[in-house]
Amino acid sequence: MMDIESCTELNEFPQMLPPPPGTFVDREELIQHVGDFAVSQGYVVTIKQSKRDRVVVLGCDRGGVYRNRRKPADESSAERTRRRKTGSRLTNCPFEAVGKKDDGLWILTIKNGTHNHEPIKDISEHPSARRFTEREIVLIKEMTEAGLKPRQILKRLRQNNPDLLSTPKHVYNVKAKLRQGNMTVRNFKSLRPQKSAVRNNYLAVTEPSWRQRNPPRVPNLIGGRFVDSQSFVSIDVLNPATQQVISQVPLTTNEEFKAAVFAAKRAFPLWRNTPIATRQRIMFKFQELIHRDIDKLAMNITAEHGKTLKDAYGDVLRGLEEVEHACGLATLQMGEFVSNVSNGIDTYSIREPLGVCAGICPFDFPAMIPLWMFPLAVTCGNTFILKPSEKDPGAAVMLAELAVEAGLPNGVLNIVHGSNEIVNAICDDDDIKAISFVGPNVAGTYIYARASAKGKRIQSNVGAKNHAVVMPDASMDATLNALVAAGFGAAGQKCMALSTVIFVGGLNPWEDKLVEHAKAIKVNAGTEPDADLGPVISKQVKEQICKLIQTGVDTGAKLVLDGRNIVVPAYEHGSFVGPTILSNVATNMECYKEEVFGPVLLCMQADSIEEAINIINRHKYSNGASIFTTSGVAARKFQTEIEVGQVGINVPISVPLPFSSFTSCKPSFAGDLNFDGKAGIQFYTQVKMVTQQWKDLPGSSGASLLMPSS
């Protein structure tokens, strides 16, 4: 076991993380990756050793200078060398990163990731900020040969790089080296936190390594930088319509996850103290950027998820409403004040952020669900770790890029990818204070139990089985249009899809016309302009849907319309399921008890509204239910007696706008506070009560032990 003394020694300095290892196209990209990450952690790296075409060794530059470099008269050459190395700015810090070229790519490994010094509080004061790049040294040589003086040279360099902090003295030093014939960058080699204009131009035209892969690899976002994971294991993201590989999602390593949490924890103190008006302005800019790139977002969603472009635009626009809601958060975070609760004593409440929060997303809404989570959380002053679905992560990464462009500081939003291991890490990490989850019932129950055991706040929306009750007096055309849209839209892959319809008084007047409306739906790839219904997310999901349909048929349900064997021309390999209708469904059937999550409509019958309400209330899932009727009495009875979170009256999908909370009843929801609205703000904040007294207390011979009172 480690003794107390060694533990104290290790914890003497705050942790500074090494850069995530990875693979890079060229040496310059690797060096820039290490340099930028180091600056975000509070240290500066320098090139210790370099063989340009084979290896580069990077160390930590503490910003010191060589000490006692004059040779005493009685000092030998060996002793002078030893003393010079002892006084080196590099010797005292053990950090070392190595980049090696292998098979055309540069591979970064961390030989020693520890430091023995404090993080640098102000990087701009580090001597590296006053050093020149290789390109700038070449320019100094050319301008010197042209007869320019050091001040003139410095003025011209600053035209391209206004952040350059060097002085004429530094130019003189470079000129001295040049006179000696030394054109290398070895003596001016620290990687500066301020990038020169030359470097910025280079980054603008050179794609990062994760974009240059074919297929591209989805990056993590750690500490404000999109980085390729060092993991060698990845999951293919497939286009459901063609089964072609669009991208690959890495299974983030434990070290990278810890780096993301550390970045979020490090960013929290400054972010929580950022004025709410400033945080809102970032959300306003974020909103503007989403509008600008909505076409790209929708195309990505359709490619990865399969839903039609119309549904994809709706996905983004619904999430955009969440950002708009976050733009007006200041008044919703206001506390309460009570004056003079006792003699000269006031009390008031304030809402404060929790710290590092996390979100775990499903595949059904690649844009809306992430936007449910992090805009509200970060505008409340928290920092955030987002884990998108591994089936369609592209929209979440694009949104993160826009959030960074909008001005979200480094570390406030981080993204990690993976599956079970990352979910477990999120649940177990002590620095994460709250978790938002949307997804299947089994996963939600597991996450709620594991995370709540660690004392975390949880909001977990899980399985859904949404019902519609159709009364005999319902308007037929309007009701049929609503049922078809809500039952088959987005291929039934949404938590508020109407999957079960209970016809009060019998199905006979409705069945034929319902089938007629369903057959009119055009099934095609989501990118096709005439598509009404796209493919389901994967072949595995299609198999599960078909299995549940067959169990219904085997146990007595009538297959009125079968969409299992549909073939879409030009997309024969796609995971398509056409509109499917089962009638004579009973409550004991597997297809009724479980969430189908596909374009399948189950039809049941009831003799009365009371029987229909009892059927719905007995089901284990309770997200939402709707009634279609022209009777106010029936509608009022339904809304009073039904036991679900969302109630619709002549409305198929009863999803409220962001200023009203999205509510579900147990077991479709686990936790105390729901998404959206005031409940969402309450989830991401905690209340602090302050009692204050400002008065001159009369002199007393002793302390009073009485409770303050009026």
Side-chain angles (χ1 to χ4, degrees):
M1 292 181 64
M2 187 179 292
D3 57 28
I4 296 176
E5 186 175 342
S6 62
C7 286
T8 304
E9 184 178 343
L10 286 174
N11 294 325
E12 183 178 356
F13 299 105
Q15 184 185 11
M16 290 183 287
L17 294 175
T23 305
F24 302 87
V25 174
D26 56 33
R27 172 179 175 272
E28 291 302 315
E29 185 187 358
L30 181 146
I31 293 173
Q32 193 66 41
H33 163 71
V34 177
D36 289 350
F37 189 89
V39 169
S40 73
Q41 296 293 309
Y43 61 97
V44 176
V45 294
T46 186
I47 301 173
K48 294 173 64 174
Q49 181 182 351
S50 177
K51 295 180 180 178
R52 180 167 291 276
D53 295 328
R54 286 184 292 170
V55 67
V56 60
V57 181
L58 305 172
C60 176
D61 184 350
R62 296 181 60 180
V65 295
Y66 292 117
R67 299 185 296 272
N68 197 18
R69 297 175 69 175
R70 289 193 177 185
K71 177 183 176 182
D74 58 346
E75 185 176 49
S76 66
S77 175
E79 179 66 16
R80 184 174 78 254
T81 301
R82 186 193 68 78
R83 288 176 61 85
R84 187 172 186 266
K85 288 185 176 180
T86 302
S88 169
R89 63 176 178 266
L90 300 175
T91 303
N92 294 330
C93 184
F95 173 86
E96 191 168 273
V98 179
K100 289 185 178 180
K101 191 174 184 179
D102 183 20
D103 196 22
L105 294 174
W106 284 82
I107 300 173
L108 172 66
T109 56
I110 307 303
K111 188 174 181 181
N112 190 332
T114 60
H115 299 263
N116 59 1
H117 58 90
E118 294 276 358
I120 300 169
K121 294 181 179 179
D122 188 355
I123 296 289
S124 64
E125 296 180 358
H126 191 277
S128 65
R130 295 182 292 277
R131 296 190 176 117
F132 301 104
T133 64
E134 291 183 74
R135 175 60 180 161
E136 286 168 340
I137 291 172
V138 172
L139 291 175
I140 290 173
K141 179 176 183 294
E142 293 174 354
M143 287 187 279
T144 300
E145 292 173 350
L148 272 68
K149 302 296 183 183
R151 291 186 182 278
Q152 296 171 313
I153 293 174
L154 203 57
K155 183 177 180 180
R156 295 198 178 188
L157 290 176
R158 284 177 179 157
Q159 289 176 353
N160 288 331
N161 182 12
D163 295 328
L164 188 63
L165 300 179
S166 300
T167 65
K169 180 181 177 181
H170 297 107
V171 179
Y172 277 115
N173 292 339
V174 174
K175 290 177 65 176
K177 292 292 182 181
L178 295 174
R179 281 195 298 270
Q180 298 170 10
N182 185 356
M183 271 294 294
T184 69
V185 77
R186 190 160 182 252
N187 293 287
F188 318 97
K189 60 191 175 184
S190 289
L191 306 180
R192 301 178 302 159
Q194 283 82 12
K195 302 173 188 175
S196 69
V198 175
R199 174 73 64 199
N200 281 332
N201 292 337
Y202 168 80
L203 290 175
V205 298
T206 305
E207 293 282 358
S209 61
W210 53 270
R211 286 194 188 277
Q212 294 190 358
R213 292 173 180 263
N214 188 20
R217 206 160 188 241
V218 182
N220 290 323
L221 173 59
I222 300 175
R225 181 171 173 80
F226 291 92
V227 292
D228 192 4
S229 173
Q230 65 174 326
S231 173
F232 294 106
V233 183
S234 58
I235 301 171
D236 288 341
V237 178
L238 302 178
N239 184 324
T242 64
Q243 300 304 306
Q244 293 178 342
V245 178
I246 300 173
S247 61
Q248 292 182 323
V249 181
L251 300 185
T252 301
T253 66
N254 189 51
E255 291 76 16
E256 291 165 348
F257 171 75
K258 289 180 178 178
V261 175
F262 181 83
K265 185 179 179 182
R266 182 185 178 92
F268 175 63
L270 184 61
W271 180 243
R272 69 170 296 176
N273 290 321
T274 301
I276 180 65
T278 302
R279 300 199 295 260
Q280 286 184 151
R281 288 189 196 101
I282 293 174
M283 287 298 109
F284 274 113
K285 181 64 175 177
F286 185 38
Q287 173 200 34
E288 175 189 329
L289 295 175
I290 293 174
H291 275 294
R292 184 194 71 187
D293 288 358
I294 189 169
D295 293 338
K296 295 179 183 178
L297 286 162
M299 284 296 296
N300 178 270
I301 291 170
T302 296
E304 292 186 350
H305 179 278
K307 64 176 67 176
T308 65
L309 276 174
K310 290 178 288 187
D311 277 331
Y313 277 103
D315 189 338
V316 180
L317 290 171
R318 182 61 179 83
L320 190 60
E321 292 173 349
E322 302 288 340
V323 182
E324 292 168 347
H325 177 54
C327 290
L329 212 59
T331 56
L332 300 176
Q333 278 194 273
M334 290 193 300
E336 298 173 331
F337 186 93
V338 181
S339 175
N340 207 37
V341 293
S342 183
N343 290 325
I345 297 178
D346 304 326
T347 184
Y348 58 92
S349 65
I350 54 178
R351 288 203 166 272
E352 295 186 333
L354 303 176
V356 181
C357 301
I360 303 171
C361 302
F363 72 83
D364 50 341
F365 287 98
M368 187 187 79
I369 300 298
L371 292 174
W372 263 15
M373 297 177 180
F374 76 81
L376 196 62
V378 301
T379 311
C380 284
N382 302 285
T383 54
F384 207 81
I385 308 288
L386 183 69
K387 194 208 87 65
S389 169
E390 61 274 19
K391 295 179 180 178
D392 47 11
V397 174
M398 293 173 70
L399 289 169
E401 290 178 325
L402 298 181
V404 171
E405 184 181 347
L408 211 59
N410 293 347
V412 173
L413 175 62
N414 303 270
I415 291 183
V416 293
H417 302 283
S419 54
N420 297 342
E421 291 77 11
I422 288 298
V423 170
N424 289 338
I426 290 173
C427 293
D428 295 342
D429 195 284
D430 292 332
D431 288 323
I432 295 177
K433 306 302 181 185
I435 299 175
S436 300
F437 171 80
V438 178
N441 185 54
V442 174
T445 303
Y446 172 80
I447 290 170
Y448 180 79
R450 183 159 184 157
S452 59
K454 290 284 187 176
K456 302 183 191 301
R457 286 191 183 186
I458 306 291
Q459 51 179 192
S460 178
N461 261 13
V462 291
K465 194 77 172 183
N466 305 301
H467 296 72
V469 173
V470 178
M471 300 299 291
D473 62 349
S475 171
M476 182 165 285
D477 288 338
T479 301
L480 288 171
N481 289 333
L483 294 179
V484 169
F488 302 126
Q493 298 178 113
K494 50 188 178 184
C495 59
M496 292 305 294
L498 279 182
S499 58
T500 305
V501 186
I502 303 173
F503 293 91
V504 176
L507 177 60
N508 288 335
W510 298 87
E511 184 175 300
D512 292 341
K513 292 199 173 185
L514 183 61
V515 172
E516 181 183 336
H517 277 67
K519 285 183 175 179
I521 294 175
K522 179 69 174 179
V523 181
N524 210 333
T527 52
E528 298 296 332
D530 61 343
D532 298 317
L533 181 66
V536 295
I537 187 75
S538 67
K539 292 284 190 181
Q540 294 78 12
V541 170
K542 177 180 178 177
E543 291 173 4
Q544 179 65 19
I545 294 170
C546 293
K547 179 181 176 183
L548 285 172
I549 294 171
Q550 189 59 46
T551 60
V553 174
D554 293 342
T555 52
K558 177 184 175 184
L559 189 59
V560 179
L561 181 63
D562 189 357
R564 290 175 293 178
N565 298 318
I566 189 170
V567 177
V568 178
Y571 298 97
E572 290 81 3
H573 300 292
S575 52
F576 291 94
V577 178
T580 300
I581 300 176
L582 289 170
S583 64
N584 299 333
V585 174
T587 57
N588 62 345
M589 294 181 179
E590 192 73 15
C591 62
Y592 174 74
K593 292 189 289 185
E594 297 301 325
E595 186 178 18
V596 179
F597 223 63
V600 180
L601 199 59
L602 308 181
C603 297
M604 306 174 73
Q605 301 181 62
D607 294 330
S608 64
I609 188 174
E610 289 83 6
E611 182 184 354
I613 291 173
N614 288 334
I615 291 173
I616 298 172
N617 288 345
R618 287 198 304 267
H619 200 279
K620 63 180 179 179
Y621 296 134
S622 51
N623 251 6
S626 297
I627 185 171
F628 294 88
T629 181
T630 56
S631 169
V633 174
R636 186 172 183 83
K637 179 181 179 65
F638 183 82
Q639 77 173 41
T640 302
E641 298 181 11
I642 204 71
E643 296 173 2
V644 298
Q646 309 283 338
V647 178
I649 299 174
N650 296 320
V651 175
I653 303 179
S654 49
V655 180
L657 291 172
F659 44 79
S660 301
S661 295
F662 184 97
T663 56
S664 296
C665 295
K666 294 179 180 180
S668 288
F669 178 79
D672 298 318
L673 295 165
N674 284 283
F675 294 83
D676 291 343
K678 292 182 179 179
I681 296 169
Q682 290 167 2
F683 178 78
Y684 287 120
T685 58
Q686 57 191 351
V687 176
K688 179 182 287 183
M689 296 298 301
V690 180
T691 303
Q692 63 181 7
Q693 183 180 50
W694 299 104
K695 70 175 184 178
D696 294 329
L697 297 175
S700 175
S701 57
S704 173
L705 302 181
L706 298 176
M707 287 272 294
S709 65
S710 57

